[in-house]
Amino acid sequence: MPQEKNVEARQLDELLAGQVKSWPLLRDNYELFKQVRIKTVEIDGLPVTVQFNPSRIVSSGAKTDARSIRERKCFLCCGNRPAEQASVPFGEDYLILCNPFPIFPQHFTVSARQHTEQTIVGRLGDMLSLAEALDAYTVFYNGPQSGASAPDHMHFQLAVKNYMPIDTLDISRTKRIREGTDAGLYLLNRYLRNGWVIASGNKEEALRFFAQLCAAQDTPAGEAEPMMNIFCNYDKGQWILKVIPRKRHRPSQYFAVGEEQFLSSPGAADIGGVFITSREEDFRKATPRLLRSIYSQVCFDDDELTYIKVV
């Protein structure tokens, strides 16, 4: 349902400041975040920020098969969250939480109050409202088979705007393929992580274009939606929505053994150009050639994208 604009950026600043004081796990991990190592890798002139962040082993190595999900307690449900974890409400349906394993200077999870499966179906309007209310942030979404470590509980995440390279995407890289009332749908290719961009000052038009994108893609058996990552910001009365379809959840390197293994389970942050490594050996191995291989396995290349017909 539509969400009221009842949250402001200052409330998130206050939430994080309070949690740093009262929650040792979060405080320790934010201190560790200050020490993360970063290097920039360029692939065809496109920057990718590689981050060595050991605390993210919890997410990178998470078991997301159906049996493992059934057998663990949902860490986003109110009854299972740490007693120290506070929240700020967003509308009637969501709570904003500090992510205790940050990969951004300010990293929040927007969790549904009810335990319901991760799906964007019927929720994109909420994402747009959240981006409008918190226009200093990028709202992003991991599909249940596209990076979500909690595919059984609906949630978005928030990152400081412009921290991910995809936030500063030059619109000239895209080609307009649809036009609406104060809205346009653009093809994003030659980007390693190809997809589409919706630029709209009209919420209904944005929802309409997004429905067309979902209808154009294949939905895996047993899933409610196509595999994809979504990024949304709001600026000067316009939503910018980037939809990146996915071919695979994890690349072959994730399942390799010995020296060939590279523990990468790409989620939205990785697709957005902040590539997370949780082991030092993987940080060292993260070369343009290896990252190109991973992106080519989990995302569509230029030729493959042309076979997805948006009508």
Side-chain angles (χ1 to χ4, degrees):
M1 73 176 56
Q3 303 293 315
E4 297 297 326
K5 288 180 64 175
N6 63 344
V7 66
E8 298 177 358
R10 65 168 181 80
Q11 293 174 269
L12 302 195
D13 293 340
E14 293 167 359
L15 175 66
L16 181 56
Q19 291 281 262
V20 167
K21 292 179 181 178
S22 64
W23 190 4
L25 173 66
L26 181 138
R27 179 173 60 249
D28 292 347
N29 282 336
Y30 264 92
E31 283 300 314
L32 289 173
F33 178 76
K34 296 176 183 177
Q35 303 171 35
V36 299
R37 289 159 58 189
I38 290 174
K39 66 180 181 181
T40 299
V41 172
E42 282 205 1
I43 310 172
D44 299 335
L46 298 172
V48 175
T49 301
V50 183
Q51 184 183 114
F52 173 42
N53 189 332
S55 72
R56 293 300 295 185
I57 191 71
V58 174
S59 178
S60 299
K63 294 182 178 180
T64 57
D65 60 280
R67 180 177 178 178
S68 296
I69 293 296
R70 284 195 306 269
E71 292 179 350
R72 63 105 168 103
K73 291 182 178 180
C74 175
F75 53 85
L76 292 179
C77 281
C78 293
N80 299 329
R81 294 202 303 264
E84 302 96 333
Q85 192 167 28
S87 63
V88 168
F90 178 66
E92 297 180 356
D93 298 334
Y94 298 92
L95 295 172
I96 303 178
L97 313 164
C98 293
N99 191 314
F101 302 100
I103 54 178
F104 309 107
Q106 292 178 300
H107 189 176
F108 300 93
T109 301
V110 185
S111 174
R113 290 178 184 264
Q114 301 298 318
H115 184 77
T116 182
E117 289 186 357
Q118 178 83 338
T119 177
I120 197 64
V121 176
R123 301 269 189 172
L124 186 70
D126 298 343
M127 188 179 197
L128 297 176
S129 295
L130 187 60
E132 183 178 10
L134 296 168
D135 60 4
Y137 291 88
T138 294
V139 187
F140 62 94
Y141 171 81
N142 283 311
Q145 296 299 318
S146 302
S149 55
D152 56 334
H153 194 120
M154 177 61 205
H155 65 286
F156 301 108
Q157 294 184 67
L158 301 175
V160 179
K161 187 186 286 186
N162 295 332
Y163 192 87
M164 289 185 283
I166 200 170
D167 289 345
T168 57
L169 171 70
D170 183 357
I171 198 73
S172 67
R173 296 191 69 92
T174 65
K175 175 184 178 183
R176 186 192 293 260
I177 57 176
R178 292 284 187 281
E179 190 168 357
T181 305
D182 192 22
L185 174 63
Y186 302 81
L187 181 69
L188 172 61
N189 58 5
R190 296 175 288 115
Y191 193 66
L192 289 176
R193 293 90 71 198
N194 294 321
W196 305 274
V197 177
I198 299 170
S200 178
N202 183 307
K203 182 177 287 189
E204 294 306 314
E205 286 288 287
L207 294 173
R208 180 173 69 85
F209 281 143
F210 182 71
Q212 292 175 358
L213 296 181
C214 288
Q217 301 174 68
D218 292 331
T219 298
E223 298 294 329
E225 65 190 35
M227 295 174 64
M228 57 187 158
N229 297 113
I230 307 170
F231 307 82
C232 183
N233 10 69
Y234 185 81
D235 185 51
K236 298 178 182 177
Q238 186 177 62
W239 287 278
I240 303 296
L241 193 70
K242 293 144 189 164
V243 181
I244 311 299
R246 295 281 295 266
K247 293 189 297 187
R248 295 177 64 180
H249 181 192
R250 288 166 168 162
S252 61
Q253 288 88 346
Y254 182 90
F255 305 99
V257 295
E259 285 296 314
E260 298 301 314
Q261 186 184 56
F262 187 89
L263 197 62
S264 170
S265 184
D270 308 87
I271 300 303
V274 178
F275 201 96
I276 307 301
T277 60
S278 54
R279 306 186 308 179
E280 187 168 14
E281 60 264 39
D282 294 333
F283 181 70
R284 292 196 304 267
K285 291 177 188 175
T287 62
R289 180 178 180 180
L290 180 59
L291 297 189
R292 183 193 295 277
S293 170
I294 290 172
Y295 282 137
S296 69
Q297 291 178 64
V298 301
C299 297
F300 290 85
D301 65 26
D302 291 349
D303 291 335
E304 293 166 332
L305 191 65
T306 63
Y307 288 102
I308 304 177
K309 302 296 184 182
V310 182
V311 297

